[in-house]
Amino acid sequence: MSLRAFHIVFVTVTTLLFAFLAAWAFLISREHTAMVTALGGVGIAGTVLMPVYGVIFYRKARKLLL
């Protein structure tokens, strides 16, 4: 597996983990403390920003193959 492919897989897995963190914080957790809410916010931010980073990386990596 190339470094580029590993990076894309890593970004995908990280996005799924962020989504699980947000789901756990807002849907599954029985406690609704400030820390759990903050973790949910981090999960949402990661779920949105990691795919954006992945697309930017993919475009940049595709140009390197020329």
Side-chain angles (χ1 to χ4, degrees):
M1 178 182 284
S2 70
L3 188 59
R4 182 181 86 164
F6 174 77
H7 198 82
I8 291 169
V9 169
F10 184 76
V11 168
T12 303
V13 170
T14 305
T15 301
L16 293 173
L17 287 173
F18 273 126
F20 176 75
L21 179 64
W24 172 80
F26 293 121
L27 302 175
I28 300 170
S29 177
R30 294 177 190 222
E31 308 177 354
H32 292 291
T33 61
M35 179 61 74
V36 173
T37 304
L39 285 173
V42 168
I44 289 173
T47 302
V48 171
L49 294 176
M50 285 304 291
V52 171
Y53 168 73
V55 168
I56 292 169
F57 171 80
Y58 183 74
R59 287 180 182 167
K60 194 177 281 191
R62 191 174 60 195
K63 289 180 184 177
L64 291 176
L65 293 176
L66 296 176

Coordinates of all heavy atoms in Angstrom, one line a residue:
M1 N 0.9 -1.2 0.0 CA 0.0 0.0 0.0 C 0.9 1.2 0.0 O 1.8 1.3 0.8 CB -0.9 0.0 1.2 CG -1.8 1.2 1.4 SD -2.8 1.2 2.8 CE -4.1 0.1 2.4
S2 N 0.6 2.1 -0.9 CA 1.4 3.3 -1.0 C 1.1 4.3 0.2 O 0.1 4.2 0.9 CB 1.2 4.0 -2.3 OG -0.1 4.6 -2.3
L3 N 2.0 5.2 0.4 CA 1.8 6.2 1.4 C 0.5 7.1 1.1 O -0.2 7.4 2.1 CB 3.0 7.1 1.5 CG 3.0 8.1 2.7 CD1 2.9 7.3 4.0 CD2 4.3 8.9 2.7
R4 N 0.3 7.4 -0.1 CA -0.9 8.1 -0.5 C -2.2 7.4 -0.2 O -3.1 7.9 0.4 CB -0.9 8.5 -2.0 CG -2.1 9.3 -2.4 CD -2.0 9.7 -3.8 NE -2.7 8.6 -4.6 CZ -3.0 8.6 -5.8 NH1 -2.8 9.7 -6.5 NH2 -3.6 7.6 -6.4
A5 N -2.2 6.1 -0.5 CA -3.4 5.2 -0.2 C -3.6 5.1 1.3 O -4.7 5.2 1.8 CB -3.3 3.9 -0.9
F6 N -2.5 4.9 2.0 CA -2.6 4.8 3.5 C -3.2 6.1 4.1 O -4.0 6.1 5.0 CB -1.3 4.5 4.1 CG -1.3 4.5 5.6 CD1 -1.8 3.5 6.3 CD2 -0.8 5.6 6.3 CE1 -1.9 3.5 7.7 CE2 -0.9 5.7 7.7 CZ -1.4 4.6 8.4
H7 N -2.7 7.2 3.5 CA -3.2 8.5 4.0 C -4.7 8.7 3.8 O -5.4 9.2 4.7 CB -2.4 9.6 3.3 CG -2.5 10.9 4.1 ND1 -1.7 11.3 5.1 CD2 -3.3 12.0 3.8 CE1 -2.0 12.5 5.5 NE2 -3.0 13.0 4.8
I8 N -5.2 8.3 2.6 CA -6.6 8.4 2.3 C -7.4 7.5 3.2 O -8.5 7.8 3.8 CB -6.9 8.1 0.8 CG1 -6.3 9.2 0.0 CG2 -8.3 7.9 0.6 CD1 -6.2 8.9 -1.5
V9 N -6.9 6.2 3.5 CA -7.6 5.3 4.4 C -7.6 5.9 5.8 O -8.6 5.8 6.5 CB -6.9 3.9 4.4 CG1 -7.4 3.0 5.5 CG2 -7.2 3.3 3.0
F10 N -6.5 6.5 6.2 CA -6.4 7.1 7.6 C -7.4 8.2 7.7 O -8.0 8.3 8.8 CB -5.0 7.6 7.8 CG -4.7 8.1 9.2 CD1 -4.6 7.3 10.3 CD2 -4.6 9.5 9.4 CE1 -4.4 7.8 11.5 CE2 -4.4 10.0 10.6 CZ -4.3 9.1 11.7
V11 N -7.5 9.1 6.7 CA -8.5 10.2 6.8 C -9.9 9.6 6.9 O -10.7 10.1 7.7 CB -8.3 11.1 5.6 CG1 -9.5 12.1 5.5 CG2 -7.0 11.9 5.7
T12 N -10.2 8.6 6.2 CA -11.5 8.0 6.2 C -11.9 7.4 7.6 O -12.9 7.6 8.1 CB -11.7 6.9 5.1 OG1 -11.4 7.5 3.8 CG2 -13.0 6.3 5.1
V13 N -10.9 6.7 8.1 CA -11.1 6.0 9.4 C -11.3 7.1 10.5 O -12.1 7.0 11.4 CB -10.0 5.1 9.8 CG1 -10.1 4.6 11.2 CG2 -10.1 3.9 8.8
T14 N -10.4 8.2 10.4 CA -10.5 9.3 11.4 C -11.9 10.0 11.3 O -12.4 10.3 12.3 CB -9.4 10.2 11.1 OG1 -8.1 9.5 11.2 CG2 -9.3 11.3 12.2
T15 N -12.4 10.2 10.1 CA -13.7 10.8 9.9 C -14.8 9.9 10.6 O -15.7 10.5 11.3 CB -14.0 11.0 8.4 OG1 -13.0 11.8 7.9 CG2 -15.3 11.7 8.2
L16 N -14.7 8.6 10.4 CA -15.7 7.8 11.0 C -15.6 7.8 12.5 O -16.6 7.7 13.2 CB -15.5 6.3 10.5 CG -15.9 6.1 9.0 CD1 -15.5 4.7 8.6 CD2 -17.3 6.4 8.8
L17 N -14.4 7.8 13.1 CA -14.2 7.9 14.5 C -14.8 9.3 15.1 O -15.4 9.3 16.1 CB -12.7 7.8 14.9 CG -12.2 6.3 14.8 CD1 -10.7 6.3 15.0 CD2 -12.9 5.4 15.7
F18 N -14.5 10.4 14.3 CA -15.1 11.6 14.7 C -16.6 11.6 14.7 O -17.3 12.1 15.6 CB -14.6 12.8 13.9 CG -13.3 13.4 14.3 CD1 -12.3 13.5 13.4 CD2 -13.2 13.9 15.6 CE1 -11.1 14.1 13.8 CE2 -12.0 14.5 16.0 CZ -10.9 14.6 15.1
A19 N -17.2 10.9 13.7 CA -18.7 10.8 13.7 C -19.2 10.0 14.8 O -20.2 10.3 15.4 CB -19.1 10.2 12.3
F20 N -18.5 8.9 15.2 CA -18.9 8.1 16.3 C -18.8 8.9 17.6 O -19.7 8.8 18.5 CB -18.0 6.8 16.4 CG -18.3 6.0 17.7 CD1 -19.5 5.3 17.7 CD2 -17.5 6.1 18.7 CE1 -19.8 4.6 18.9 CE2 -17.8 5.4 19.9 CZ -19.0 4.6 20.0
L21 N -17.7 9.7 17.7 CA -17.6 10.6 18.9 C -18.8 11.5 19.1 O -19.3 11.7 20.2 CB -16.3 11.3 18.9 CG -16.0 12.3 20.0 CD1 -15.8 11.5 21.3 CD2 -14.7 13.1 19.8
A22 N -19.2 12.1 18.0 CA -20.3 13.1 18.0 C -21.6 12.3 18.3 O -22.4 12.8 19.1 CB -20.5 13.8 16.7
A23 N -21.8 11.1 17.7 CA -23.0 10.4 18.0 C -23.0 9.9 19.5 O -24.1 9.9 20.1 CB -23.1 9.1 17.1
W24 N -21.9 9.5 20.0 CA -21.8 9.1 21.4 C -22.2 10.2 22.3 O -22.9 10.1 23.2 CB -20.4 8.5 21.7 CG -20.3 8.3 23.2 CD1 -20.7 7.2 23.8 CD2 -19.7 9.1 24.1 NE1 -20.4 7.3 25.2 CE2 -19.8 8.5 25.4 CE3 -19.1 10.4 24.0 CZ2 -19.3 9.1 26.5 CZ3 -18.6 11.0 25.2 CH2 -18.7 10.3 26.4
A25 N -21.6 11.4 22.0 CA -21.8 12.5 22.9 C -23.2 13.0 22.9 O -23.7 13.4 24.0 CB -20.8 13.7 22.5
F26 N -23.9 13.0 21.8 CA -25.2 13.6 21.7 C -26.3 12.6 21.8 O -27.5 13.0 22.1 CB -25.3 14.5 20.5 CG -24.5 15.7 20.5 CD1 -23.5 15.9 19.6 CD2 -24.6 16.6 21.6 CE1 -22.7 17.1 19.6 CE2 -23.8 17.8 21.6 CZ -22.8 18.0 20.6
L27 N -26.1 11.4 21.4 CA -27.2 10.4 21.3 C -27.1 9.3 22.4 O -28.1 8.8 22.9 CB -27.2 9.8 19.9 CG -27.5 10.8 18.8 CD1 -27.4 10.1 17.5 CD2 -28.8 11.5 18.9
I28 N -25.8 8.8 22.6 CA -25.7 7.6 23.4 C -25.4 7.9 24.9 O -25.9 7.2 25.8 CB -24.6 6.7 22.8 CG1 -25.0 6.3 21.4 CG2 -24.3 5.5 23.7 CD1 -23.8 5.6 20.6
S29 N -24.6 8.9 25.1 CA -24.1 9.2 26.5 C -25.3 9.6 27.4 O -26.2 10.4 27.0 CB -23.1 10.4 26.5 OG -22.8 10.7 27.8
R30 N -25.3 9.1 28.6 CA -26.4 9.4 29.6 C -26.1 10.7 30.3 O -27.0 11.3 30.8 CB -26.5 8.2 30.5 CG -27.0 7.0 29.9 CD -27.1 5.9 30.8 NE -27.4 4.6 30.0 CZ -28.3 3.7 30.4 NH1 -28.9 3.9 31.5 NH2 -28.5 2.7 29.6
E31 N -24.8 11.0 30.4 CA -24.4 12.3 31.1 C -24.4 13.4 30.0 O -23.9 13.2 28.9 CB -23.0 12.2 31.6 CG -22.8 11.0 32.5 CD -21.3 11.0 33.0 OE1 -20.5 11.9 32.5 OE2 -21.0 10.2 33.8
H32 N -24.9 14.6 30.4 CA -24.8 15.7 29.4 C -24.1 16.8 30.1 O -24.7 17.9 30.4 CB -26.2 16.1 29.0 CG -26.8 15.1 28.1 ND1 -26.4 14.8 26.8 CD2 -27.8 14.2 28.3 CE1 -27.1 13.9 26.3 NE2 -28.0 13.4 27.2
T33 N -22.8 16.6 30.4 CA -22.0 17.6 31.1 C -21.3 18.5 30.0 O -21.5 18.2 28.8 CB -20.9 16.9 31.9 OG1 -20.1 16.2 31.1 CG2 -21.5 16.0 33.0
A34 N -20.7 19.5 30.5 CA -20.0 20.4 29.6 C -18.9 19.7 28.8 O -18.7 20.0 27.6 CB -19.4 21.6 30.3
M35 N -18.2 18.8 29.4 CA -17.1 18.0 28.8 C -17.7 17.1 27.7 O -17.1 17.1 26.6 CB -16.4 17.2 29.8 CG -15.3 16.4 29.1 SD -14.0 17.4 28.4 CE -13.1 18.0 29.8
V36 N -18.8 16.5 27.9 CA -19.4 15.6 26.9 C -19.9 16.5 25.7 O -19.7 16.1 24.5 CB -20.5 14.8 27.5 CG1 -21.3 14.0 26.4 CG2 -20.0 13.8 28.5
T37 N -20.4 17.6 26.0 CA -20.9 18.5 24.9 C -19.7 19.0 24.1 O -19.8 19.1 22.9 CB -21.7 19.7 25.5 OG1 -22.8 19.2 26.3 CG2 -22.2 20.6 24.5
A38 N -18.6 19.4 24.8 CA -17.4 19.8 24.1 C -16.8 18.7 23.2 O -16.4 19.0 22.1 CB -16.3 20.3 25.1
L39 N -16.8 17.5 23.7 CA -16.4 16.4 22.9 C -17.3 16.2 21.7 O -16.8 15.8 20.6 CB -16.3 15.1 23.7 CG -15.2 15.0 24.7 CD1 -15.3 13.7 25.6 CD2 -13.9 14.9 24.0
G40 N -18.6 16.4 21.9 CA -19.5 16.3 20.7 C -19.2 17.4 19.7 O -19.3 17.1 18.5
G41 N -18.9 18.6 20.2 CA -18.5 19.6 19.3 C -17.2 19.3 18.5 O -17.1 19.6 17.3
V42 N -16.3 18.8 19.2 CA -15.0 18.3 18.5 C -15.3 17.3 17.5 O -14.8 17.3 16.4 CB -14.0 17.9 19.5 CG1 -12.8 17.2 18.9 CG2 -13.5 19.0 20.4
G43 N -16.2 16.3 17.8 CA -16.6 15.3 16.9 C -17.3 15.8 15.6 O -17.0 15.4 14.5
I44 N -18.2 16.8 15.8 CA -18.8 17.4 14.7 C -17.8 18.2 13.8 O -17.8 18.1 12.6 CB -20.0 18.3 15.1 CG1 -21.1 17.5 15.7 CG2 -20.5 19.2 14.0 CD1 -22.2 18.3 16.3
A45 N -16.9 18.9 14.5 CA -15.9 19.7 13.7 C -15.0 18.7 12.9 O -14.7 19.0 11.8 CB -15.1 20.5 14.7
G46 N -14.6 17.7 13.6 CA -13.8 16.7 12.9 C -14.5 16.0 11.7 O -13.9 15.7 10.7
T47 N -15.8 15.7 11.9 CA -16.5 15.0 10.9 C -16.7 15.9 9.6 O -16.7 15.5 8.5 CB -17.9 14.7 11.4 OG1 -17.8 13.8 12.6 CG2 -18.7 13.9 10.4
V48 N -16.7 17.2 9.9 CA -16.8 18.2 8.7 C -15.5 18.5 8.1 O -15.3 18.5 6.9 CB -17.5 19.5 9.2 CG1 -17.5 20.5 8.2 CG2 -19.0 19.2 9.6
L49 N -14.5 18.7 9.0 CA -13.2 19.2 8.5 C -12.3 18.1 7.9 O -11.5 18.4 7.0 CB -12.4 19.9 9.6 CG -13.1 21.2 10.0 CD1 -12.4 21.8 11.2 CD2 -13.2 22.2 8.9
M50 N -12.4 16.9 8.4 CA -11.5 15.8 7.9 C -11.7 15.5 6.4 O -10.8 15.3 5.6 CB -11.6 14.6 8.7 CG -10.9 14.7 10.1 SD -9.1 15.1 9.9 CE -8.4 13.6 9.2
P51 N -13.0 15.4 5.9 CA -13.2 15.2 4.5 C -12.7 16.3 3.6 O -12.2 16.1 2.5 CB -14.7 15.0 4.4 CG -15.1 14.5 5.7 CD -14.2 15.2 6.7
V52 N -12.8 17.5 4.2 CA -12.3 18.7 3.4 C -10.8 18.6 3.3 O -10.2 18.8 2.2 CB -12.7 20.0 4.1 CG1 -11.9 21.2 3.5 CG2 -14.2 20.2 4.2
Y53 N -10.1 18.2 4.4 CA -8.7 18.0 4.3 C -8.3 16.8 3.4 O -7.4 16.9 2.6 CB -8.1 17.7 5.7 CG -6.7 17.1 5.7 CD1 -5.7 18.0 5.5 CD2 -6.5 15.8 6.0 CE1 -4.4 17.5 5.4 CE2 -5.2 15.3 5.9 CZ -4.1 16.2 5.7 OH -2.9 15.7 5.6
G54 N -9.1 15.8 3.4 CA -8.9 14.6 2.5 C -9.0 15.0 1.0 O -8.1 14.6 0.2
V55 N -9.9 15.8 0.7 CA -10.1 16.3 -0.7 C -8.9 17.2 -1.1 O -8.3 17.0 -2.2 CB -11.4 17.1 -0.9 CG1 -11.4 17.8 -2.2 CG2 -12.6 16.1 -0.8
I56 N -8.5 18.1 -0.2 CA -7.3 18.9 -0.5 C -6.1 18.1 -0.7 O -5.3 18.3 -1.6 CB -7.1 20.0 0.6 CG1 -8.3 21.0 0.6 CG2 -5.8 20.7 0.5 CD1 -8.3 21.9 1.8
F57 N -5.9 17.1 0.2 CA -4.7 16.2 0.1 C -4.8 15.4 -1.2 O -3.8 15.3 -1.9 CB -4.6 15.2 1.3 CG -3.6 14.2 1.1 CD1 -2.3 14.5 1.3 CD2 -4.0 12.9 0.6 CE1 -1.3 13.5 1.1 CE2 -3.0 11.9 0.4 CZ -1.7 12.2 0.7
Y58 N -5.9 14.9 -1.6 CA -6.0 14.1 -2.8 C -5.7 14.9 -4.0 O -5.0 14.4 -4.9 CB -7.4 13.5 -2.9 CG -7.6 12.6 -4.1 CD1 -7.1 11.3 -4.1 CD2 -8.3 13.0 -5.2 CE1 -7.2 10.5 -5.2 CE2 -8.5 12.2 -6.3 CZ -7.9 10.9 -6.3 OH -8.0 10.1 -7.4
R59 N -6.2 16.1 -4.1 CA -5.9 17.0 -5.2 C -4.4 17.3 -5.3 O -3.8 17.3 -6.4 CB -6.7 18.3 -5.2 CG -8.1 18.1 -5.4 CD -8.9 19.4 -5.4 NE -10.3 19.2 -5.6 CZ -11.2 20.1 -5.3 NH1 -10.9 21.3 -4.8 NH2 -12.5 19.9 -5.6
K60 N -3.8 17.5 -4.2 CA -2.4 17.8 -4.2 C -1.6 16.6 -4.5 O -0.6 16.7 -5.3 CB -2.0 18.4 -2.8 CG -0.6 19.0 -2.7 CD -0.3 19.6 -1.4 CE -1.0 20.9 -1.2 NZ -0.5 21.6 0.1
A61 N -2.0 15.4 -4.0 CA -1.2 14.2 -4.3 C -1.4 13.8 -5.7 O -0.5 13.2 -6.3 CB -1.7 13.1 -3.4
R62 N -2.5 14.1 -6.3 CA -2.8 13.7 -7.7 C -1.8 14.5 -8.6 O -1.3 14.0 -9.7 CB -4.2 14.0 -8.1 CG -4.6 13.4 -9.4 CD -6.0 13.5 -9.7 NE -6.4 15.0 -9.7 CZ -7.6 15.4 -9.6 NH1 -8.6 14.6 -9.5 NH2 -7.9 16.7 -9.6
K63 N -1.6 15.8 -8.3 CA -0.7 16.6 -9.1 C 0.8 16.1 -9.0 O 1.5 16.3 -9.9 CB -0.8 18.1 -8.6 CG -2.0 18.8 -9.0 CD -2.1 20.2 -8.5 CE -3.4 20.8 -8.8 NZ -3.4 22.2 -8.2
L64 N 1.1 15.5 -7.9 CA 2.5 15.0 -7.7 C 2.8 13.9 -8.6 O 4.0 13.6 -8.9 CB 2.7 14.6 -6.3 CG 2.8 15.7 -5.2 CD1 2.9 15.1 -3.9 CD2 3.9 16.7 -5.5
L65 N 1.8 13.2 -9.1 CA 2.1 12.0 -10.0 C 2.4 12.3 -11.4 O 2.7 11.4 -12.2 CB 0.9 11.0 -9.9 CG 0.6 10.4 -8.6 CD1 -0.7 9.6 -8.6 CD2 1.8 9.5 -8.2
L66 N 2.3 13.6 -11.8 CA 2.6 14.0 -13.2 C 4.0 13.7 -13.5 O 4.9 13.5 -13.6 CB 2.3 15.4 -13.4 CG 0.8 15.8 -13.2 CD1 0.7 17.3 -13.4 CD2 0.0 15.1 -14.3

